[in-house]
Amino acid sequence: MNIEKQVCTLEQAKKLKLLGVNSKCMLGFIEIPSNGLSVHAYWKDDKYALINADIVMFCGNGEERWYAPNVAELGVMLEMDDDKHFLDYNYNNHGGSFQCYLNKRDQRKGDGFKNITIEEGDTEAECRAEMLIYLLENKITKVVEVNERLAA
């Protein structure tokens, strides 16, 4: 599977960084200022093994970079610590997209629940990243907790 399908998009990585998500992930984006090229990079001892076609090189710390969580890392970040909300995932065979549902337990319906939002993405990572962004922007989860979950 291509790396691009395993991590969130560059735009999502930038948004997560703006929201304060700073947990080190296995993969990240790097932008080389000299030519504006954005490529995927493996993290290793704060250096990057850039992968662009057949070129592999190591870069230092001067470039702009963003952590790009993969599906597993996003799953850890999305763990709900309260008993009011829960997440559900689905792959839409007809539309070819992944969907993540945020549900709120409805005490009036006993064990029932109310759907709050549905986030979608072309890949599971994109879908999960959209949900994480939603949870942070709407203060349903805290960035401190998200960072601690992945660091644990």
Side-chain angles (χ1 to χ4, degrees):
M1 178 183 291
N2 293 339
I3 292 175
E4 292 85 3
K5 295 186 178 192
Q6 298 176 41
V7 298
C8 68
T9 65
L10 175 60
E11 292 76 26
Q12 290 171 325
K14 288 179 178 182
K15 182 73 171 185
L16 289 169
K17 184 176 181 177
L18 283 173
L19 290 168
V21 176
N22 60 13
S23 297
K24 283 194 175 183
C25 299
M26 189 172 75
L27 296 170
F29 289 101
I30 187 168
E31 190 168 281
I32 302 170
S34 61
N35 61 10
L37 178 66
S38 296
V39 295
H40 293 87
Y42 286 101
W43 298 100
K44 183 174 168 81
D45 301 325
D46 286 330
K47 300 227 184 239
Y48 303 88
L50 302 182
I51 298 175
N52 182 10
D54 296 328
I55 301 169
V56 177
M57 61 184 178
F58 289 90
C59 296
N61 294 322
E63 297 82 8
E64 185 70 31
R65 55 194 170 172
W66 302 270
Y67 293 113
N70 63 32
V71 172
E73 291 164 334
L74 286 161
V76 172
M77 292 178 180
L78 283 167
E79 290 176 1
M80 301 299 290
D81 293 337
D82 64 28
D83 59 353
K84 297 176 186 165
H85 301 92
F86 65 96
L87 298 174
D88 193 16
Y89 301 93
N90 182 45
Y91 178 72
N92 181 346
N93 289 322
H94 302 291
S97 65
F98 288 88
Q99 298 171 328
C100 182
Y101 302 85
L102 173 65
N103 299 294
K104 186 171 185 175
R105 297 184 199 284
D106 190 340
Q107 302 300 329
R108 293 169 296 173
K109 294 183 180 178
D111 291 329
F113 62 90
K114 180 173 98 176
N115 184 265
I116 296 174
T117 189
I118 302 172
E119 299 297 334
E120 292 191 60
D122 292 334
T123 67
E124 188 173 355
E126 287 179 29
C127 177
R128 287 180 182 228
E130 281 301 314
M131 182 56 75
L132 182 58
I133 290 166
Y134 177 88
L135 294 174
L136 290 166
E137 288 180 335
N138 290 279
K139 304 194 182 338
I140 296 170
T141 194
K142 296 177 183 159
V143 71
V144 171
E145 294 171 356
V146 169
N147 290 326
E148 287 174 354
R149 287 180 201 136
L150 194 58

